[in-house]
Amino acid sequence: MFWKKKVPLLIVFIMGFVMAVQYFVPSDFSKKFYDTYIDWAIVIGIFGGVLGFFSFFRVHIHKVSKQAPNWQFSLISILCALLMIIAALLGGRGSGSLFMKLFLYTSAAINATVFSLLAFYISSAAYRAFRARSTQALALLLAAVIMMLGRVPIGDSISFWTAWGWPSINEISQWILNVPNLAAKRAIILGVGLGSLLMSLKIILGIERTYLGSE
Amino acid sequence: MHWSTDIWVWIAVFFTLSVYTFLWKDNPLYKFAESVTVGIGMGFGVVQWWNLSVVDRFWVPLTTRGTIGLVLIIPAIMGLMMVTRIVPRFAWMSRYALAFSIGAGSGFMLPRAIQASILQQLYATMLPINISWTGLMVNLFIVVGTLAGLIYFFFSKEHKGVFGGIANIGIWFLMVGFGATFGYTVMARLSLLIGRVLFILRDFLGMHLF
Amino acid sequence: MKRLTFVFLLLLIGIIIPIGADESNPPKPQTPQLMDIPGDGGTNVLLQWRHFETVPGIRYDILRSEDGVKFEVISPLQTKTITYEAQNQPENDVSELGYYILLQPQEGDLPKAKVIKGTDANRDSLIAAGAKKILRVELGVPPLSELTKIPNKFALGEFYRVIPDEKIAKRPEPITVSKKLFDRIGIKTPSLGNVTIELTPKEKELEFVHKGKRILAAGEDDMPLILKYGKQIVSFVTEDARYTVKYESMQFLDRKSKNRDMKSGKHYVYKIRLYQKDIPISKIYMDSDTVGITPQDEPPVVPDKITAFYNRKNGSAVIHIKNTSSLASFYDNKSYTIFKTTPDDTSCSKGTQIYKIGASAKAVILDNVDSTDVFYILVEDEGGQQNKTGLINLTPADLKDVPLPQNMRVLDYENDRGQKIALRWDPPTLAVGYAVEDVAKKMMQEKVDSKNIYYIPTESGDSLFVAKDSAEIPQGARKVLELSYTVPGGKKVLKISYQMWANSDDKALYGEFKLDGKVKIDKDNTGELQFQNISAGEYTLVGHIIKNNGGKLKNPEANVEMKVDATRIHIVPIDVPPYVYYIYRGTDPKDPSTFVYVGAAGADSREYIDQFNDTKTAENTYYYIVQAVGPNGAVTQSDPLGPVAAKSNWFDTSKVVIFLSTLIFIIVAFFFIYHAKRGRKFYIRPIAGIVHIDEALGRATEMGKPIIYITGLGFIDDIATLSSITILGRVARKAAEYQCKIFVPCYDPLVMIVSQETVRNAFMDAGRPDLYNEENIYYIAAQQFAYAAAVAGLMIREKSAANFFMGRFYAESLILAETGASTGAIQVAGTDDMTQLPFFITSCDYTLIGEELYAASAYLSTDPMQRGSLKAQDFLKAIEMILLVVGSLAATAGMWWFTNAFRALGGD
């Protein structure tokens, strides 16, 4: 009980307290301590990577062995992962190697394409937003439209009212970015910042223990 | 039009088009592309993890930095304990490594977050409200908007009466802010699509139209 | 499953182990040339070699041996990335051009390549001399299989394959000239400044182009044209061999260090190793030939630039000592001893020693000298060896006094780890420059080819002239086709650039300027300010330096008043005095030879930080001397300042505000959490999102379809992820009660493990452990779009009735939300990231914005301390709001000391 529950909480408290104090202490010892902590955190993180790889292989091998629905695609995933490992062992990781080519022309291409799907999705999201169900959604929509027009030359061209001294769409969009958008961001950062701080304190004090897992 | 002779370009185009088929509906081609990217990505991650992390950040310092390097055995042991998370019987051992990382991370962040998320934000928002364009159309709006936004996120009082009215102003500011972010991002997202289309036109079909 | 895993592992090992390396050997790397760096005490050796482009490899290693048998790697190096050439490019076939390559041997080096065009007259003699016909040129590196087909030879030369393009040559060329050229020929342009003219193509260029395709050596014709129309040749291919001529000069400095020894008089043998493959199971490399050197501890190198003045004003001599060689940093010179001697002492063997200084000294002042005195300097190195300069005569001059910095002081640098000493002086100064520019200037273009204006570039300056007929056009003149220039728009803008020459003691924050009743402050200290839309006229610009307490620095140098002429476009730069301060550090104020030069500071600085590499060295006691040096060579030297030693500080006083804020924060949090634990009930207003969560769950039950809960891309210590997992507990419990399937695809393995435990506990609490299926909470991949693609696929396949997006999201948020929306599922999202909230708001039925996510998790949690912490959050938020109002009022009233307290210039 002591080793399983109390000691980890003690470590959390000590490390949390020490790292918080370290920020205010500029001495040589403090700096060396910080550098050592960074080295240790990186090494621990390295072993944490093992969890990810193990989970991946376990999940997919399990699907294949049980012939779960779409198990064939799990098999493809496993084979692709093994292929990459073998390619790196045989041909190295340099540019032009099989390893890099496989990554660039398959995974990187697929990821870039999935990312580009955002262009289609943002259009359907914009269409959905156009159906503005409330005045607040209308405000979101109007701000978005002004922003979009303000970022292209056409915004200036259609701003006929500038002849009477009124600001152009580009200038309005710049004001929206610099004023209400900034105010909203600040409000969120100030609030979310407090939330993060409370969470850090709760972790250090041992009030928040979800990350340690169940008892 | 001049088809590419490079097999790799053909492979990339095949996968690109497979992913685009998802816009129509889910199909085996898309599932194939999805499983390939998961597998290749995982393999890439394993190899890079080994070379850039295990060798460069652990093995090389351990074997070349003398006594200072040997001390890295301790976090290595803690890291190995982290891996016991997979086995329920020994999962409690992983708590030591987690306690070290997360405890230190929280302590590290505490004063820095106060400086960056609180003090600096407050400093930047304490603006003079004088009778000028900047004072009224910029500073006043920023101060009022930030206050109203904070009131919107106040959970100890119901949004009724004057308080509710100010909270309502807050949500208006938030919505305009979100709209601005949305519009700003649209252009960036469209450029991603242009990038893929140009790849297909230029590298695959050899058409240099633009 | 275990057996399957075992089989896969065996397969993996079985494929990896029996790997045969391929038999091809790369070409041998070139043997390095060694150079013993002079005057360095025999501790530095420079290796230089050529890396020819067709010698492919991934890495060079340098190997050294003391006995010629056992070699150790002393440092790995990288080669440049190789650009492989696509095979069979038609332009590379040059056989019909008829060029020949002839190698001219050189003593001790590779042969020089000469490329000559074969004609009927010279072909036979070329062949007789051993020249080979060039069939093909290569502009890149062919694949390895091609490289090894024919023998590879190496030669030195820089050649280009030129393919002129008449279309490019005939394009008009724009250049910029001063509008004065137009004024001289009587053509008025309303331009603000320079004019861009478009000219007809150069005759020379057309001539170059008409000569057609050919191979040229560097310098054989106009180099800019060769570079414009040509590509550098990597190698020539003849019938019998490939001759590579393009190379990159590589070098490596082997020097004595902590890890490696080097002694003078000891013989070292070197070779370089080029790896073609360097992976755990297969290494392929080639070594160059070995080459040896015995570094010597030569006598010290004397400084090569010594200028000496006799200052007629005060009867002193100033000697400036400089080493201009690029290798000067290696010299192990220790001290300079200055001797006064007679003009007949040409061997510099007599004389009296008058001064001894460290060898890093840049200038020496000798008092009580005569203008006819003659000196020489004895240079001594670390090994005790000596060398002498020649006789140094004094040049009489009237050197203007250079003022020393005012109020110089040395002190331990504050708030550091004990590795810095600060040298500070006064006065803090506001240095201002400005530019008057036109607002709304327009670009104008004008076609002028009918005006017969011609442009002639000459050595003495370019000029324009108007030709009345073609006979008047001189050689080399080019016709001007079009003009483009900017015209003024009326109002002006005054752009101020300023610098605050101050040190940490002055606590200067930013500049404040007044012009024509308007005040502008540069709160972010960018060094720039603008006064827009000012009418042409004369103004007085007033500037101050504002301190961190909101007040102004009082000394006159920190307060500036200057006249600004806004009637014309012009620039007034910041005026920096032309002095430089040399800083020396020593241990004995009475012995100048203990002083070493540590750095220099310009006349625009008020502080010099002497940074040590380790605390131990910094803890010693030191003295400092400052030399102020003027542009004409005058030097003024201070008395030794000190003693001073660096000390490690235990508290960073610049972070006091952050410290106090942290304390207040902790006290408030403690108060509320303590009271919550004691049972006090805190009110939290109902959060609308929770109702929507229940509504979504109800609908999923009605439709009999599963729910998908996405915890986002955060890690387990992310506050958004932790809040998400709390809400997951509630959602999972409801799902268990309603007998709904729940999928939780995870991005991080630790999050997956914790999610599995949460869902299992929730199902058990609901009394339905039988319904729990661990396979539905699974890990996908730790890559953003692979995760997004997999989850999108899951949504479509499972046709979920409700989707929950709670946690930390990035760009993939829109893909997930839109895919879910397209399936008709009810969607509830919650994230604290401002950039993703708009997408969730447009695509989801309800979104918990920012802190509402944390509040929802606190509201749903059974732990009273969660509510206590939310209450603490609200209390602190109220403090923030009060501070904001007070701060804005203070800023409006000009009470900057209040707002500046929040500036919190902390940071590592």
Side-chain angles (χ1 to χ4, degrees):
Chain A
M1 220 30 190
F2 175 75
W3 291 105
K4 288 187 183 182
K5 259 177 86 172
K6 295 269 192 287
V7 172
L9 288 176
L10 195 62
I11 294 174
V12 167
F13 178 76
I14 292 170
M15 285 310 298
F17 178 78
V18 166
M19 289 309 288
V21 165
Q22 188 274 334
Y23 178 75
F24 298 102
V25 179
S27 78
D28 194 37
F29 174 78
S30 166
K31 190 73 173 65
K32 283 190 178 133
F33 177 84
Y34 174 76
D35 291 339
T36 309
Y37 157 70
I38 294 290
D39 288 339
W40 284 32
I42 289 169
V43 172
I44 293 173
I46 287 169
F47 287 88
V50 173
L51 274 176
F53 310 140
F54 189 87
S55 299
F56 168 82
F57 282 104
R58 184 164 85 161
V59 158
H60 287 286
I61 290 171
H62 187 65
K63 270 197 176 150
V64 171
S65 66
K66 279 211 157 162
Q67 306 238 318
N70 294 315
W71 66 269
Q72 301 90 335
F73 296 107
S74 284
L75 182 62
I76 291 170
S77 291
I78 295 169
L79 289 174
C80 286
L82 290 175
L83 177 65
M84 286 294 273
I85 295 168
I86 294 167
L89 284 167
L90 293 185
R93 294 178 299 132
S95 65
S97 63
L98 177 66
F99 172 81
M100 279 316 279
K101 280 199 169 131
L102 275 171
F103 178 71
L104 288 170
Y105 288 97
T106 60
S107 188
I110 293 169
N111 285 348
T113 313
V114 172
F115 206 171
S116 76
L117 287 179
L118 285 167
F120 295 96
Y121 286 126
I122 210 162
S123 320
S124 72
Y127 168 71
R128 218 181 295 279
F130 277 125
R131 293 177 348 219
R133 279 158 295 178
S134 64
T135 39
Q136 286 161 2
L138 184 67
L140 190 152
L141 159 71
L142 272 174
V145 168
I146 294 172
M147 214 53 215
M148 281 188 262
L149 287 174
R151 297 197 63 72
V152 288
I154 203 171
D156 252 345
S157 320
I158 62 170
S159 305
F160 59 90
W161 52 82
T162 51
W164 305 315
W166 291 81
S168 66
I169 284 191
N170 299 63
E171 284 164 350
I172 297 172
S173 77
Q174 202 56 44
W175 179 87
I176 290 176
L177 201 62
N178 291 341
V179 183
N181 180 52
L182 187 66
K185 259 196 200 138
R186 291 255 166 88
I188 289 181
I189 292 173
L190 280 165
V192 163
L194 275 178
S196 309
L197 288 167
L198 258 306
M199 180 61 75
S200 298
L201 192 64
K202 284 191 290 185
I203 288 173
I204 295 171
L205 294 175
I207 298 167
E208 178 60 61
R209 299 175 207 178
T210 317
Y211 63 95
L212 287 176
S214 58
E215 316 288 276
Chain B
M1 199 154 82
H2 160 70
W3 298 90
S4 167
T5 51
D6 187 350
I7 179 90
W8 290 104
V9 173
W10 279 79
I11 291 171
V13 171
F14 166 75
F15 282 118
T16 302
L17 295 173
S18 302
V19 172
Y20 280 135
T21 58
F22 185 69
L23 291 167
W24 177 45
K25 69 171 193 172
D26 187 30
N27 60 85
L29 268 180
Y30 173 78
K31 285 186 215 170
F32 177 66
E34 179 198 315
S35 54
V36 164
T37 193
V38 167
I40 297 273
M42 177 55 61
F44 184 83
V46 171
V47 172
Q48 296 295 77
W49 166 81
W50 179 261
N51 286 289
L52 299 176
S53 297
V54 177
V55 173
D56 285 357
R57 302 307 297 262
F58 175 63
W59 187 252
V60 167
L62 184 75
T63 51
T64 58
R65 272 207 256 158
T67 336
I68 302 169
L70 281 175
V71 168
L72 289 176
I73 294 283
I74 303 170
I77 293 169
M78 284 209 280
L80 282 169
M81 286 160 80
M82 180 110 97
V83 180
T84 62
R85 206 80 169 95
I86 307 162
V87 184
R89 211 153 65 109
F90 300 110
W92 63 270
M93 288 170 72
S94 68
R95 289 179 186 177
Y96 288 88
L98 274 173
F100 177 87
S101 302
I102 292 174
S106 300
F108 179 84
M109 220 214 50
L110 197 68
R112 286 167 180 81
I114 287 181
Q115 185 230 336
S117 303
I118 314 289
L119 295 174
Q120 276 188 352
Q121 299 299 320
L122 283 176
Y123 171 71
T125 318
M126 288 176 183
L127 298 164
I129 301 164
N130 39 40
I131 314 293
S132 66
W133 162 264
T134 314
L136 294 174
M137 286 307 289
V138 177
N139 296 352
L140 181 65
F141 269 83
I142 291 175
V143 173
V144 168
T146 310
L147 279 170
L150 284 171
I151 284 176
Y152 175 79
F153 289 121
F154 200 72
F155 299 104
S156 301
K157 202 168 153 46
E158 265 203 86
H159 286 173
K160 281 196 180 129
V162 174
F163 192 84
I166 302 174
N168 205 33
I169 296 173
I171 192 68
W172 274 90
F173 268 90
L174 288 168
M175 286 300 156
V176 170
F178 293 144
T181 309
F182 189 92
Y184 193 92
T185 320
V186 165
M187 298 310 177
R189 301 287 186 249
L190 283 171
S191 74
L192 297 166
L193 174 64
I194 292 168
R196 293 321 288 163
V197 169
L198 282 176
F199 164 70
I200 293 174
L201 286 178
R202 286 186 181 161
D203 295 353
F204 181 56
L205 297 172
M207 293 164 71
H208 291 258
L209 298 172
F210 311 105
Chain C
M1 189 191 94
K2 284 184 196 154
R3 268 185 233 161
L4 212 56
T5 322
F6 182 66
V7 166
F8 268 119
L9 281 170
L10 264 185
L11 214 65
L12 189 65
I13 296 165
I15 292 168
I16 294 165
I17 289 180
I19 302 297
D22 68 332
E23 290 306 310
S24 72
N25 282 314
K28 221 160 116 160
Q30 295 296 307
T31 311
Q33 289 179 320
L34 298 175
M35 180 177 104
D36 176 19
I37 302 214
D40 64 337
T43 55
N44 298 283
V45 168
L46 184 67
L47 281 86
Q48 290 172 300
W49 69 99
R50 295 187 187 98
H51 166 70
F52 283 90
E53 297 246 337
T54 51
V55 178
I58 50 170
R59 196 178 92 233
Y60 276 110
D61 271 357
I62 314 294
L63 291 94
R64 189 179 82 175
S65 164
E66 288 173 21
D67 55 9
V69 174
K70 189 160 167 254
F71 282 87
E72 57 157 359
V73 175
I74 56 175
S75 185
L77 283 177
Q78 298 296 322
T79 62
K80 274 175 64 168
T81 321
I82 299 164
T83 319
Y84 287 97
E85 185 182 62
Q87 295 185 54
N88 304 324
Q89 288 200 346
E91 319 73 275
N92 291 358
D93 188 348
V94 296
S95 46
E96 88 276 5
L97 293 179
Y99 279 90
Y100 286 79
I101 180 167
L102 181 67
L103 296 185
Q104 291 172 332
Q106 292 189 103
E107 181 74 43
D109 203 351
L110 288 168
K112 230 170 154 174
K114 255 193 115 171
V115 171
I116 305 157
K117 189 165 171 79
T119 59
D120 291 332
N122 69 11
R123 199 168 291 121
D124 293 333
S125 55
L126 280 173
I127 294 169
K132 304 276 182 230
K133 185 168 180 192
I134 300 171
L135 301 173
R136 222 173 60 238
V137 295
E138 286 170 348
L139 305 173
V141 180
L144 199 61
S145 49
E146 272 294 308
L147 275 179
T148 46
K149 271 189 190 155
I150 50 173
N152 285 288
K153 297 188 182 171
F154 303 96
L156 305 176
E158 192 179 329
F159 299 94
Y160 293 83
R161 186 213 63 201
V162 171
I163 298 184
D165 186 342
E166 204 159 325
K167 264 193 282 180
I168 296 174
K170 286 193 170 155
R171 274 194 212 144
E173 179 200 343
I175 60 167
T176 305
V177 299
S178 160
K179 75 173 247 175
K180 287 191 192 138
L181 298 189
F182 284 91
D183 292 341
R184 280 186 214 144
I185 57 169
I187 292 180
K188 290 248 174 282
T189 61
S191 162
L192 283 175
N194 292 330
V195 180
T196 305
I197 55 176
E198 252 188 32
L199 302 168
T200 52
K202 281 190 196 147
E203 280 297 322
K204 205 171 167 191
E205 191 163 339
L206 289 170
E207 256 177 55
F208 182 91
V209 163
H210 287 144
K211 284 185 193 161
K213 291 186 200 179
R214 54 204 188 282
I215 294 173
L216 288 173
E220 202 178 321
D221 205 321
D222 194 273
M223 251 339 263
L225 290 175
I226 293 178
L227 292 169
K228 187 173 175 181
Y229 293 103
K231 284 201 180 125
Q232 192 172 359
I233 293 169
V234 172
S235 43
F236 296 99
V237 177
T238 65
E239 241 175 23
D240 67 328
R242 172 182 290 104
Y243 296 87
T244 305
V245 291
K246 191 175 177 201
Y247 64 87
E248 184 191 343
S249 294
M250 310 277 292
Q251 58 185 44
F252 173 76
L253 181 70
D254 183 20
R255 57 188 327 187
K256 182 176 171 163
S257 66
K258 226 176 13 179
N259 302 324
R260 204 158 61 242
D261 193 23
M262 183 169 291
K263 286 196 183 81
S264 68
K266 196 165 177 187
H267 190 71
Y268 296 96
V269 178
Y270 292 89
K271 65 179 174 182
I272 50 176
R273 173 170 294 171
L274 178 61
Y275 278 89
Q276 201 200 355
K277 218 183 240 190
D278 181 26
I279 52 181
I281 48 170
S282 172
K283 287 184 195 282
I284 299 177
Y285 57 82
M286 280 288 273
D287 287 349
S288 69
D289 292 333
T290 56
V291 64
I293 190 167
T294 310
Q296 302 296 333
D297 183 5
E298 302 94 346
V301 176
V302 298
D304 57 328
K305 190 172 175 194
I306 301 175
T307 40
F309 298 103
Y310 173 73
N311 193 352
R312 283 192 281 238
K313 283 193 172 175
N314 58 19
S316 66
V318 176
I319 304 178
H320 290 273
I321 305 166
K322 202 171 174 181
N323 275 304
T324 56
S325 164
S326 55
L327 300 171
S329 57
F330 297 106
Y331 296 161
D332 67 336
N333 292 351
K334 191 173 154 193
S335 64
Y336 297 141
T337 311
I338 300 171
F339 285 79
K340 187 157 104 173
T341 185
T342 50
D344 60 341
D345 180 19
T346 48
S347 62
C348 299
S349 50
K350 294 178 262 182
T352 18
Q353 177 180 329
I354 52 168
Y355 206 71
K356 190 171 180 182
I357 43 169
S360 60
K362 292 190 177 295
V364 178
I365 302 174
L366 305 169
D367 293 315
N368 301 318
V369 298
D370 209 61
S371 61
T372 52
D373 285 341
V374 175
F375 304 90
Y376 68 86
I377 301 175
L378 178 75
V379 182
E380 199 173 314
D381 70 8
E382 299 286 347
Q385 297 182 89
Q386 292 177 343
N387 204 346
K388 293 175 208 167
T389 66
L391 289 177
I392 302 165
N393 294 298
L394 298 175
T395 307
D398 293 310
L399 297 177
K400 201 172 156 191
D401 281 340
V402 183
L404 276 173
Q406 293 175 28
N407 190 21
M408 281 193 292
R409 54 212 184 267
V410 285
L411 45 138
D412 167 41
Y413 192 77
E414 310 89 353
N415 302 324
D416 75 327
R417 61 192 289 195
Q419 290 182 352
K420 292 185 200 168
I421 290 174
L423 178 61
R424 292 185 183 140
W425 57 94
D426 293 330
T429 306
L430 180 65
V432 183
Y434 65 83
V436 177
E437 286 178 18
D438 232 283
V439 168
K441 44 190 189 239
K442 288 196 200 118
M443 274 294 288
M444 300 284 288
Q445 278 174 319
E446 200 184 317
K447 287 219 182 300
V448 294
D449 45 350
S450 57
K451 291 192 180 170
N452 292 326
I453 305 172
Y454 287 83
Y455 169 78
I456 313 158
T458 61
E459 269 171 25
S460 51
D462 304 344
S463 64
L464 295 169
F465 84 105
V466 181
K468 291 199 185 64
D469 61 60
S470 53
E472 282 187 14
I473 305 166
Q475 186 98 12
R478 295 160 72 190
K479 195 171 183 186
V480 179
L481 302 170
E482 193 181 275
L483 306 179
S484 21
Y485 48 84
T486 52
V487 291
K491 289 270 187 189
K492 306 274 183 297
V493 58
L494 176 67
K495 289 185 178 169
I496 296 170
S497 57
Y498 73 93
Q499 292 170 4
M500 297 188 299
W501 301 344
N503 56 50
S504 313
D505 287 348
D506 300 315
K507 306 223 189 311
L509 273 189
Y510 47 78
E512 177 193 86
F513 290 88
K514 285 191 191 106
L515 184 91
D516 195 29
K518 289 185 220 160
V519 177
K520 283 211 188 280
I521 55 170
D522 178 28
K523 208 161 165 244
D524 297 323
N525 195 18
T526 58
E528 284 171 2
L529 276 173
Q530 285 187 14
F531 285 94
Q532 301 271 4
N533 287 328
I534 55 174
S535 317
E538 298 230 347
Y539 298 91
T540 304
L541 176 70
V542 176
H544 309 286
I545 294 180
I546 306 295
K547 291 196 295 189
N548 65 348
N549 65 359
K552 300 179 187 132
L553 280 172
K554 296 231 163 46
N555 62 302
E557 296 87 352
N559 296 278
V560 154
E561 202 172 292
M562 60 199 295
K563 292 262 180 271
V564 169
D565 177 11
T567 57
R568 57 190 181 92
I569 310 298
H570 67 290
I571 297 174
V572 171
I574 294 174
D575 183 26
V576 182
Y579 317 135
V580 67
Y581 302 121
Y582 292 146
I583 313 223
Y584 299 84
R585 178 183 72 219
T587 49
D588 184 351
K590 295 196 181 67
D591 182 3
S593 68
T594 65
F595 280 80
V596 293
Y597 171 80
V598 290
D604 55 351
S605 41
R606 296 290 179 266
E607 182 173 52
Y608 179 81
I609 310 291
D610 190 9
Q611 168 88 51
F612 293 83
N613 289 330
D614 65 283
T615 329
K616 241 180 140 55
T617 323
E619 275 172 357
N620 296 328
T621 305
Y622 294 103
Y623 294 83
Y624 286 83
I625 287 176
V626 175
Q627 283 179 345
V629 181
N632 54 5
V635 177
T636 317
Q637 185 165 303
S638 74
D639 293 326
L641 302 155
V644 66
K647 286 192 186 64
S648 189
N649 302 107
W650 287 97
F651 183 75
D652 190 336
T653 51
S654 66
K655 294 177 183 171
V656 161
V657 174
I658 305 170
F659 181 74
L660 290 172
S661 308
T662 311
L663 280 179
I664 293 170
F665 163 82
I666 292 173
I667 291 167
V668 169
F670 257 121
F671 175 83
F672 283 97
I673 292 172
Y674 172 75
H675 281 278
K677 200 172 172 187
R678 294 269 314 259
R680 185 166 157 184
K681 295 269 182 274
F682 289 114
Y683 170 76
I684 295 177
R685 67 169 167 86
I687 295 161
I690 295 171
V691 170
H692 285 82
I693 292 172
D694 288 340
E695 192 187 302
L697 285 163
R699 183 164 146 180
T701 318
E702 278 172 34
M703 293 167 76
K705 288 189 187 168
I707 40 178
I708 297 178
Y709 191 98
I710 297 152
T711 49
L713 271 64
F715 297 104
I716 195 61
D717 54 347
D718 219 305
I719 176 177
T721 311
L722 289 168
S723 304
S724 170
I725 288 171
T726 310
I727 299 175
L728 170 62
R730 153 76 168 235
V731 168
R733 193 186 164 133
K734 288 275 179 191
E737 286 170 13
Y738 298 155
Q739 295 175 56
C740 229
K741 211 172 174 186
I742 178 166
F743 289 97
V744 185
C746 299
Y747 176 83
D748 178 64
L750 275 177
V751 172
M752 176 196 76
I753 290 165
V754 175
S755 303
Q756 284 173 344
E757 288 167 358
T758 307
V759 173
R760 183 178 40 233
N761 291 341
F763 272 65
M764 275 166 54
D765 288 344
R768 296 306 308 258
D770 55 302
L771 290 176
Y772 172 67
N773 184 356
E774 197 176 86
E775 285 176 15
N776 290 348
I777 303 128
Y778 58 98
Y779 168 76
I780 294 182
Q783 285 142 61
Q784 188 181 20
F785 290 107
Y787 177 77
V791 174
L794 175 73
M795 284 179 189
I796 302 277
R797 270 163 246 144
E798 294 296 332
K799 295 182 184 37
S800 52
N803 298 326
F804 296 90
F805 308 97
M806 301 282 176
R808 172 69 40 99
F809 292 88
Y810 301 99
E812 77 294 339
S813 61
L814 186 58
I815 297 173
L816 299 174
E818 276 299 308
T819 308
S822 70
T823 64
I826 183 169
Q827 306 198 113
V828 182
T831 185
D832 53 3
D833 191 340
M834 170 92 180
T835 47
Q836 307 313 318
L837 279 164
F839 306 118
F840 283 132
I841 289 172
T842 49
S843 308
C844 295
D845 295 279
Y846 193 81
T847 308
L848 295 168
I849 302 171
E851 280 181 272
E852 286 183 333
L853 176 65
Y854 311 153
S857 82
Y859 196 84
L860 293 169
S861 170
T862 48
D863 184 358
M865 289 194 280
Q866 300 281 1
R867 286 200 171 214
S869 81
L870 189 65
K871 206 67 187 168
Q873 225 171 293
D874 269 358
F875 187 87
L876 289 162
K877 209 175 299 168
I879 296 178
E880 276 180 355
M881 288 191 260
I882 295 167
L883 283 172
L884 204 55
V885 171
V886 172
S888 294
L889 291 172
T892 311
M895 290 158 58
W896 297 109
W897 58 268
F898 183 81
T899 58
N900 288 338
F902 291 86
R903 201 171 171 117
L905 292 164
D908 290 305

